[in-house]
Amino acid sequence: MGSEESAALVRRGYEAFSAGDMDTLRDIFTEDAKWHAAGNGPISGVKQGRDEILAYFGELGSRSNGSMKVTVEDVTVGDRYTVGIQLTRAERDGKTLDERQVIVFSVSDGKVTEGIEMSEDTSKAADFWS
């Protein structure tokens, strides 16, 4: 898979996430994919397998009462990784999350095999999701 295809796959994933399209997200990830959620908060840590990843995405929506919005600022592709830079906004229990995040994607054979999520301020994110 070339760099243009990897970037298109990641953009398709962002669109599906924003639309709550779990069927498309299920199709984008390999069954044994890994997702590394940044920080040390209650939802941080490694999500092993597509089902755990999708459950994590659902939990983000649930914990934010559906307020979470992701705006893609850029998608760039290197020799080994595709990187998404996003602005994440959400409200929860009187708190607001408004920060930039970076997700490093590994893509193989047209599917995402791993995502490594990094937050601008992991302490703020952990506080928000707690």
Side-chain angles (χ1 to χ4, degrees), residues 33-109:
K34 288 184 187 176
W35 190 270
H36 305 266
N40 57 2
I43 60 175
S44 299
V46 178
K47 314 309 176 196
Q48 183 65 50
R50 178 175 49 213
D51 291 339
E52 280 190 25
I53 294 167
L54 296 180
Y56 168 68
F57 292 165
E59 188 170 1
L60 294 173
S62 176
R63 283 181 178 246
S64 69
N65 298 314
S67 71
M68 185 173 173
K69 301 289 182 231
V70 172
T71 304
V72 178
E73 294 187 332
D74 204 355
V75 174
T76 187
V77 182
D79 291 336
R80 294 183 55 202
Y81 301 103
T82 302
V83 178
I85 302 167
Q86 68 189 49
L87 183 59
T88 303
R89 291 190 173 110
E91 294 180 11
R92 177 175 194 264
D93 299 333
K95 298 184 248 183
T96 301
L97 180 68
D98 187 4
E99 70 173 1
R100 189 164 285 116
Q101 291 182 308
V102 172
I103 301 178
V104 178
F105 296 92
S106 295
V107 176
S108 179
D109 296 325

Side-chain angles (χ1 to χ4, degrees), residues 13-30:
Y14 272 113
E15 289 169 10
F17 179 86
S18 292
D21 181 355
M22 293 298 176
D23 289 335
T24 297
L25 287 171
R26 179 172 296 285
D27 189 47
I28 284 174
F29 287 95
T30 61

Side-chain angles (χ1 to χ4, degrees), residues 4-19:
E4 287 181 31
E5 293 87 0
S6 292
L9 178 72
V10 167
R11 286 187 184 281
R12 187 171 143 224
Y14 272 113
E15 289 169 10
F17 179 86
S18 292

